[in-house]
C-alpha cells in the first residue's frame, strides 16, 4: 500500500515537473510577444507624434504665408489709391478698390471714428465684424485676420487703415474667399493623428477645419497662426500602450520574455525524454490482486456555500426617483452603481437601435469617478461615448443635438447638498421619468444587461459651439449691467461668457467652480440663497441679478430694489415674447404657478395648459402638444421657439436680458416686471414625512378633501382655485415631503385659503405640523 502511494506521488511529481516548464514557458513567451508588440507601438507612436507635430508646424507656416500674401495684396491696393481722393465719396473709393482686388467678395469703407459701427445693430451688422474693426482702431491699425459667415459661407475678413496708420482717414473692410486657406490646410497629411484649425481663444474657441483621424486625442495647447486669430491644434494618435513609453525598455522586456519562454520550453522537452527512457519500477500490487476495501464513509459538509451576489445587491432601489437617479456618494451611490446603470442604459439603447451617447458632469468632486464608471458601463454594453467633460446639464442636452445622438446623461446632483450626485438621462430624444427609470432598475435587478461590448470613447469640447449658437441668435440691444451668481456650480464656467457674448456687462459672483459650495447652496428657489446676489446688485448699481442652480438648468432673478422675480412671472414675459412671433402657440406651466398666468397667456393670444411638476414630465407634454414654451415654478424654462425645447437656465437668462434690453419704450427692468401681475404669495412650504408616506397622504387627501365652490385640479396633488386665489398640496417626487403653496390677490384672501387647507389637512392627519 505504501509503495502504491509512493508510486502515485512519484507520478504526480513527474507530471508537475513536465507541467511547470510548459506553463511558465508559455506565459513568458506570450509576455515577451506582448512586450514586443508594445515596443513596436511605442516606436510607431513616437514617429506618429513627430509626424503630427511636423504637420502642425507646416500648417502654421503655410497658413501664415497665405494670410500674409492676402493682407499684402489688400495693403498694396489701398496704398495705390490717390491720397487726394481719400476724402472723397466712400462708394467711389470702394468701387476703385474692388477694381484693384478682383478676388474680393465684399469691400466696405468706414469712417476713422467708426461711429457707424459703434451705434450699429450688431445682430444685423455682425458682432465679430464690429469687434475686428474696433480692434484695428485701438491697436496698431492691423487687427488679426479672421473669418466671418456671410450668405451661409465662411469668408476671410481683413481690416486695413486708409492713409497713415497713426492717423487713418478711414477703415477698409475686405472679405476674401476662405477656399485658398482651406485648400492649403487640407493639403497637409497629419499621418495617424489629426490637426484642427481653430479661431478665437479658450473663452470662445470655434472649430473651422479638421484633417486626420477623428479619434485622435487633442493636445491642450495650440500653435497660433501669425497675423490672424487662428491657431492649429495637434491631436495625437491614440495607441493602446500599457508599458512606460520607452521603446528600448519594452524591447529588453520582450527579449527577456521570449528568451526565458524558449528556454523553459526546451527544458520541458529534455525532462520528457529522460522520463520516457527511465524503466518503470514493478510493484507487488501489480501482480497480486489487492483485497477489496470497504467503501469510505460519505462526509457531507455542514453548510453550503452562499450563491454569488447578484448586481441588484449592490444597488439601492430608492435612488431611482421620478425624474432622475440620485443618491448619497459612497453610500447609495458608488462607482459600481454608476457602471451598472451605464450597462442598463446601454442595454435599453441597443434595444432601440441606438449606438452613441453624450456624457457630461457638473462640478461636484465625485463627478469624474462616477462619469468614468458610467461610461465604462455604457461601453461594456457596446455603446460609443462622447465625453464632453465638466459642463452644465443644458450643454449635455445641446451636445446630444449637436452630434445627433438623441441620447445623453448628465452626471449631476443639481441643487442637492455636496455629498449627493445623480444622473439625468435622455434616450432617443426622451427624458426618462417614472416607469422608464424604474425599468432601468429592473434590468439591473434581473441581470438582463448587455456585456462584452467594446464601445468607443472620444473627448469633445462642445462649449464653444454652445456659446456661439446662443450669441449668434440672442443679442441685447443695449448694454445692461448684470451680476451673475453661479453659487460655485458648473454654470460659472459658461454663463458669464454667454451673457457677455450677447452684449451685457457681467459682474461675476461665486463663478469659480467648487464642488464643496463654500459660499451658499446653488439653489435659486430658496430666497436665502439670493441674499448675497441682492447685496451685490445694490453695491455695484447693476440693472439686474441672475442666479443659476448647481447644474445650470434653473434660473433665479432679482431686481436692483432687491425684489425676487418668481419664475411664474418671468414666464409671463417669455410667453408675451414668444407669442408675438408664434400667435396661438401652446404655453405649458406647472401646478405651482400663479393663477394670473393663464389670463396673461390668453391675453397675449396663446393657449395656456397647466401640467404636472417635473422637468421630464413637462418635456414629454411639450412633445405631445407641440408647445413652443414651458416653465416651472422651480425655475426650469423650456424654449422650443428658437431653441431645442430642453430646460436651460443659461439660455433663459440670455432671452430675459434680450427682452429687457430690447424694450422699445426704454423702460427699466423694474418697470417691465411691474406689468406682470402679482399677488400675495408664499414660497414653497414643505412638510417632512417618512419615505412613501407622502404619497399615501395625498391619496387620502384626494378622497376626503372638500373645498366648496373652488375649481379642483388633481393632475399633481390637489390644487383648489377661487376667483381671488388658490392653494396647492402635492407630494414631492424627489424627497419625502408634502409641498404646499398659496397665492391670492390680497392678504385677507390668502389667509382664508390657508385656513381652508388647514382644516382639510387636519381631517387626514390631525398631528401634522404645518409651516403656515
Amino acid at each position: 500500500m505504501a509503495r502504491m502511494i509512493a508510486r502515485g506521488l512519484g507520478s504526480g511529481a513527474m507530471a508537475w515537473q513536465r507541467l511547470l516548464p510548459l506553463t511558465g514557458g508559455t506565459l513568458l513567451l506570450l509576455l515577451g510577444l506582448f512586450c514586443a508588440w508594445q515596443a513596436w507601438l511605442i516606436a510607431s507612436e513616437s514617429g506618429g507624434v513627430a509626424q503630427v507635430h511636423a504637420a502642425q508646424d507646416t500648417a502654421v507656416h503655410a497658413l501664415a504665408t497665405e494670410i500674409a500674401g492676402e493682407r499684402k495684396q489688400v495693403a498694396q491696393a489701398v496704398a495705390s489709391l490717390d491720397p487726394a481722393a481719400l476724402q472723397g465719396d466712400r462708394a467711389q473709393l470702394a468701387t476703385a478698390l474692388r477694381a484693384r482686388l478682383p478676388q474680393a467678395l465684399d469691400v466696405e469703407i468706414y469712417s476713422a471714428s467708426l461711429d457707424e459701427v459703434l451705434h450699429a445693430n450688431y445682430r444685423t451688422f455682425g458682432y465679430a465684424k464690429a469687434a475686428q474693426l474696433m480692434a484695428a482702431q485701438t491697436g496698431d491699425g492691423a487687427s488679426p485676420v479672421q473669418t466671418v459667415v456671410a450668405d451661409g459661407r465662411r469668408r476671410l475678413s481683413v481690416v486695413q487703415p486708409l492713409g497713415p496708420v497713426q492717423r487713418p482717414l478711414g477703415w477698409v473692410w475686405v472679405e476674401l474667399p476662405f477656399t485658398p486657406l482651406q485648400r492649403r490646410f487640407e493639403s497637409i497629411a497629419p499621418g495617424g493623428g489629426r490637426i484642427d484649425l481653430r479661431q478665437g481663444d479658450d473663452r470662445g474657441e470655434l472649430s473651422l477645419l479638421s484633417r486626420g483621424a477623428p479619434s485622435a486625442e487633442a493636445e491642450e495647447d495650440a500653435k497660433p497662426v501669425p497675423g490672424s486669430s487662428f491657431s492649429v491644434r495637434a491631436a495625437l494618435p491614440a495607441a493602446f500602450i500599457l508599458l512606460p513609453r520607452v521603446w528600448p525598455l519594452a524591447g529588453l522586456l520582450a527579449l527577456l520574455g521570449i528568451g526565458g519562454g524558449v528556454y523553459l520550453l526546451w527544458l520541458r522537452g529534455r525532462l520528457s525524454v529522460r522520463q520516457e527512457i527511465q524503466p518503470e519500477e514493478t510493484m507487488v500490487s501489480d501482480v497480486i490482486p489487492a483485497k477489496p476495501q470497504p467503501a469510505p464513509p460519505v462526509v457531507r459538509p455542514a453548510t453550503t456555500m452562499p450563491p454569488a451576489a447578484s448586481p441588484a445587491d449592490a444597488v439601492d432601489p430608492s435612488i431611482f426617483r421620478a425624474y432622475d437617479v440620485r443618491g448619497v456618494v459612497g453610500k447609495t451611490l458608488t462607482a459600481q452603481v454608476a457602471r451598472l446603470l451605464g450597462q442598463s442604459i446601454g442595454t435599453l439603447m441597443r434595444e432601440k437601435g441606438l449606438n452613441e451617447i453624450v456624457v457630461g458632469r457638473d462640478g461636484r468632486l465625485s463627478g469624474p469617478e462616477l462619469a468614468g464608471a458610467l461610461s465604462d458601463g455604457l461601453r461594456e454594453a457596446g455603446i460609443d461615448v462622447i465625453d464632453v467633460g465638466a459642463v452644465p446639464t443644458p450643454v449635455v442636452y445641446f451636445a446630444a443635438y449637436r452630434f445627433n445622438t438623441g441620447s445623453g446623461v448628465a452626471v449631476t446632483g443639481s441643487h442637492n447638498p455636496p455629498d449627493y450626485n445623480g444622473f439625468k438621462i435622455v434616450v432617443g430624444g426622451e427624458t426618462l421619468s417614472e416607469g422608464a427609470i424604474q425599468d432601468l432598475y429592473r434590468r439591473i435587478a434581473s441581470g438582463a444587461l448587455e456585456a462584452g461590448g467594446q464601445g468607443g470613447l472620444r473627448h469633445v469640447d462642445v462649449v464653444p459651439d454652445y456659446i456661439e449658437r446662443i450669441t449668434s441668435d440672442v443679442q441685447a440691444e443695449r448694454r445692461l449691467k448684470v451680476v451673475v451668481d453661479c453659487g460655485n456650480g458648473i454654470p460659472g464656467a459658461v454663463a458669464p461668457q454667454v451673457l457677455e457674448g450677447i452684449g451685457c456687462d457681467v459682474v461675476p459672483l461665486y463663478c469659480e467652480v467648487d464642488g464643496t459650495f463654500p459660499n451658499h447652496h446653488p439653489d435659486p428657489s430658496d430666497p436665502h440663497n439670493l441674499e448675497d446676489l441682492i447685496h451685490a446688485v445694490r453695491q455695484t448699481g447693476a440693472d439686474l441679478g441672475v442666479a443659476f442652480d448647481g447644474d445650470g438648468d434653473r434660473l433665479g432673478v432679482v431686481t436692483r430694489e432687491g425684489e425676487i422675480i418668481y419664475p411664474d412671472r418671468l414666464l409671463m414675459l417669455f410667453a408675451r415674447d414668444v407669442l408675438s412671433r408664434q400667435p396661438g402657440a401652446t404655453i405649458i406651466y406647472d401646478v405651482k404657478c400663479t393663477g394670473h398666468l393663464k389670463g396673461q397667456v390668453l391675453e397675449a393670444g396663446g393657449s395656456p395648459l397647466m401640467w404636472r411638476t417635473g422637468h421630464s414630465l413637462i418635456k414629454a407634454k411639450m412633445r405631445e402638444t407641440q408647445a413652443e414654451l414651458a416653465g416651472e415654478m422651480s425655475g426650469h424654462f423650456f424654449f422650443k421657439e428658437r431653441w431645442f425645447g430642453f430646460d436651460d437656465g443659461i439660455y433663459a437668462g440670455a432671452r430675459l436680458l434680450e427682452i429687457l434690453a430690447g424694450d422699445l419704450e426704454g423702460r427699466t427692468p423694474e418697470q417691465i416686471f411691474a406689468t406682470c401681475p402679482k399677488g400675495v404669495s408664499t414660497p414653497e412650504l414643505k412638510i417632512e414625512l417618512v419615505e412613501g408616506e407622502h404619497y399615501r397622504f395625498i391619496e387620502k387627501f384626494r378622497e376626503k378633501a372638500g373645498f366648496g365652490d373652488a375649481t379642483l385640479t388633481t393632475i399633481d396633488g390637489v390644487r383648489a382655485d377661487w376667483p381671488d386665489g388658490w392653494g396647492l398640496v402635492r407630494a414631492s417626487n424627489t424627497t419625502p415631503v408634502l409641498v404646499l403653496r398659496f397665492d391670492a390677490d390680497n392678504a385677507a384672501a390668502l389667509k382664508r385659503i390657508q385656513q381652508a387647507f388647514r382644516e382639510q389637512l387636519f381631517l387626514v392627519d390631525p398631528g401634522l405640523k404645518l409651516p403656515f
Side-chain angles (χ1 to χ4, degrees):
M1 180 68 180
R3 295 184 69 184
M4 182 186 295
I5 295 173
R7 180 183 178 188
L9 290 174
S11 299
M14 287 187 290
W16 276 106
Q17 285 178 351
R18 290 194 300 267
L19 183 61
L20 283 174
L22 175 63
T23 304
T26 303
L27 290 176
L28 276 176
L29 188 59
L30 291 174
L31 180 61
L33 292 173
F34 172 77
C35 291
W37 175 58
Q38 289 281 288
W40 178 79
L41 286 180
I42 293 169
S44 299
E45 184 191 59
S46 178
V49 169
Q51 189 174 3
V52 174
H53 284 152
Q56 182 186 29
D57 293 338
T58 301
V60 169
H61 177 72
L63 297 179
T65 301
E66 181 71 27
I67 289 168
E70 297 282 6
R71 183 185 286 280
K72 182 178 179 180
Q73 289 186 45
V74 173
Q76 289 175 343
V78 173
S80 68
L81 291 174
D82 182 1
L86 296 181
Q87 300 292 342
D89 183 78
R90 293 185 196 172
Q92 292 182 0
L93 290 172
T95 300
L97 274 175
R98 285 191 184 94
R100 290 166 171 80
L101 294 169
Q103 76 275 28
L105 301 174
D106 190 18
V107 175
E108 297 175 8
I109 298 180
Y110 298 95
S111 65
S113 62
L114 292 180
D115 285 342
E116 63 270 58
V117 177
L118 295 173
H119 299 94
N121 181 345
Y122 293 160
R123 294 180 64 182
T124 55
F125 185 83
Y127 195 82
K129 180 178 180 180
Q132 187 178 8
L133 283 162
M134 288 187 282
Q137 183 188 44
T138 57
D140 60 0
S143 61
V145 173
Q146 63 183 39
T147 70
V148 294
V149 176
D151 299 326
R153 295 185 178 181
R154 192 163 295 283
R155 301 176 174 183
L156 279 182
S157 57
V158 180
V159 176
Q160 185 72 21
L162 270 172
V165 174
Q166 295 77 13
R167 299 187 64 182
L169 302 173
W171 298 97
V172 177
W173 167 272
V174 181
E175 292 181 14
L176 301 167
F178 184 65
T179 307
L181 204 71
Q182 181 176 350
R183 288 174 181 164
R184 284 251 194 172
F185 183 82
E186 292 179 346
S187 67
I188 299 167
R194 190 182 73 248
I195 53 174
D196 300 324
L197 179 62
R198 317 283 291 184
Q199 174 172 286
D201 54 25
D202 292 337
R203 299 182 64 190
E205 197 174 52
L206 173 66
S207 177
L208 299 177
L209 297 171
S210 185
R211 176 87 166 125
S215 60
E217 299 179 0
E219 292 183 318
E220 289 291 330
D221 297 326
K223 290 189 176 181
V225 177
S228 74
S229 61
F230 306 140
S231 61
V232 178
R233 177 170 292 166
L236 306 182
F240 183 75
I241 297 175
L242 298 179
L243 297 180
R245 283 173 159 79
V246 182
W247 77 262
L249 173 62
L252 177 62
L253 293 175
L255 289 175
L256 290 174
I258 294 173
V262 169
Y263 171 75
L264 287 176
L265 292 176
W266 172 81
L267 182 63
R268 185 256 181 190
R270 290 291 302 274
L271 289 173
S272 298
V273 172
R274 290 175 59 188
Q275 290 161 3
E276 287 174 3
I277 64 175
Q278 183 176 351
E280 188 174 69
E281 182 181 2
T282 303
M283 297 289 184
V284 174
S285 57
D286 293 337
V287 294
I288 301 178
K291 295 182 179 179
Q293 299 293 322
V298 178
V299 180
R300 300 186 181 277
T303 58
T304 58
M305 293 296 290
S310 70
D313 296 335
V315 180
D316 185 344
S318 69
I319 68 175
F320 291 80
R321 308 298 182 94
Y323 315 135
D324 50 31
V325 178
R326 191 179 334 125
V328 179
V329 176
K331 296 180 180 178
T332 58
L333 195 56
T334 63
Q336 182 183 5
V337 172
R339 185 184 179 101
L340 289 170
L341 178 63
Q343 278 187 266
S344 184
I345 296 169
T347 303
L348 173 62
M349 291 178 64
R350 293 288 294 272
E351 291 176 4
K352 292 178 175 288
L354 304 169
N355 56 19
E356 192 172 39
I357 191 169
V358 173
V359 172
R361 66 182 190 274
D362 66 13
R364 291 167 187 265
L365 304 182
S366 58
E369 180 185 22
L370 293 179
L374 176 83
S375 296
D376 290 343
L378 287 162
R379 297 170 66 196
E380 176 74 12
I383 302 299
D384 294 332
V385 175
I386 301 174
D387 187 341
V388 295
V391 295
T393 293
V395 176
V396 175
Y397 297 153
F398 171 81
Y401 282 91
R402 170 69 176 78
F403 300 115
N404 199 31
T405 68
S407 303
V409 180
V411 182
T412 173
S414 187
H415 60 282
N416 287 279
D419 56 339
Y420 276 75
N421 215 324
F423 309 86
K424 294 180 179 179
I425 307 161
V426 181
V427 174
E430 175 190 357
T431 302
L432 301 193
S433 64
E434 297 182 320
I437 287 182
Q438 292 303 317
D439 177 64
L440 294 178
Y441 173 72
R442 285 192 291 270
R443 293 173 187 272
I444 297 173
S446 64
L449 303 174
E450 290 276 352
Q454 296 182 347
L457 173 66
R458 59 187 176 118
H459 299 272
V460 179
D461 181 8
V462 75
V463 170
D465 291 342
Y466 173 81
I467 294 173
E468 184 190 30
R469 175 63 176 79
I470 297 176
T471 56
S472 65
D473 177 61
V474 181
Q475 284 293 315
E477 296 292 341
R478 57 189 176 93
R479 298 193 73 83
L480 293 177
K481 187 175 183 179
V482 55
V483 179
V484 178
D485 182 358
C486 295
N488 299 113
I490 193 63
V494 178
Q497 299 178 55
V498 169
L499 299 187
E500 286 174 352
I502 70 169
C504 293
D505 292 327
V506 171
V507 180
L509 178 65
Y510 308 144
C511 289
E512 305 82 9
V513 180
D514 186 338
T516 64
F517 309 130
N519 293 289
H520 67 70
H521 202 56
D523 180 4
S525 67
D526 184 345
H528 295 296
N529 295 327
L530 298 175
E531 292 174 355
D532 288 354
L533 177 60
I534 292 172
H535 178 72
V537 171
R538 286 173 173 164
Q539 288 294 105
T540 60
D543 298 289
L544 199 70
V546 297
F548 303 102
D549 70 334
D551 67 331
D553 59 8
R554 295 196 293 144
L555 172 68
V557 176
V558 302
T559 67
R560 184 181 293 178
E561 281 74 24
E563 180 186 7
I564 298 173
I565 307 299
Y566 286 105
D568 49 3
R569 294 181 67 206
L570 293 176
L571 189 56
M572 296 177 191
L573 279 183
F574 291 144
R576 293 175 192 167
D577 180 59
V578 169
L579 291 168
S580 69
R581 292 179 295 273
Q582 301 288 337
T586 297
I587 309 295
I588 299 176
Y589 55 97
D590 76 328
V591 294
K592 295 186 290 184
C593 288
T594 176
H596 294 292
L597 186 53
K598 178 179 180 180
Q600 288 292 303
V601 172
L602 289 171
E603 186 177 319
S607 176
L609 175 62
M610 184 187 296
W611 194 237
R612 298 169 60 192
T613 293
H615 68 93
S616 52
L617 306 178
I618 292 285
K619 279 181 272 195
K621 197 65 176 178
M622 287 185 73
R623 288 196 303 273
E624 176 189 332
T625 61
Q626 298 297 305
E628 294 289 340
L629 173 69
E632 293 185 280
M633 191 61 195
S634 59
H636 289 268
F637 295 100
F638 313 75
F639 285 86
K640 182 67 171 64
E641 193 251 0
R642 294 168 56 189
W643 198 232
F644 300 97
F646 54 74
D647 42 334
D648 188 340
I650 298 172
Y651 179 77
R655 287 286 291 263
L656 174 65
L657 290 163
E658 180 185 57
I659 293 170
L660 298 177
D663 183 70
L664 297 177
E665 301 175 23
R667 294 173 296 181
T668 65
E670 289 81 5
Q671 291 171 327
I672 297 173
F673 289 134
T675 65
C676 302
K678 65 174 181 176
V680 180
S681 63
T682 68
E684 290 188 2
L685 306 173
K686 298 178 180 179
I687 302 174
E688 295 186 4
L689 296 177
V690 178
E691 182 70 53
E693 183 61 30
H694 58 316
Y695 292 120
R696 291 187 286 272
F697 181 94
I698 288 296
E699 291 301 320
K700 294 177 183 177
F701 191 78
R702 281 199 188 101
E703 296 172 1
K704 294 187 177 182
F707 291 98
D709 59 348
T711 300
L712 296 184
T713 303
T714 58
I715 55 174
D716 188 1
V718 176
R719 171 169 168 154
D721 279 79
W722 288 270
D724 57 352
W726 58 275
L728 166 74
V729 58
R730 59 178 293 273
S732 169
N733 284 315
T734 56
T735 52
V737 300
L738 296 175
V739 179
L740 302 96
R741 187 166 187 252
F742 304 97
D743 182 275
D745 292 344
N746 52 64
L750 184 71
K751 185 176 181 180
R752 187 193 80 245
I753 294 170
Q754 286 181 318
Q755 180 59 31
F757 268 81
R758 184 180 290 108
E759 294 170 358
Q760 299 303 315
L761 290 167
F762 284 148
L763 284 178
V764 179
D765 184 354
L768 278 181
K769 295 181 179 180
L770 301 183
F772 62 94

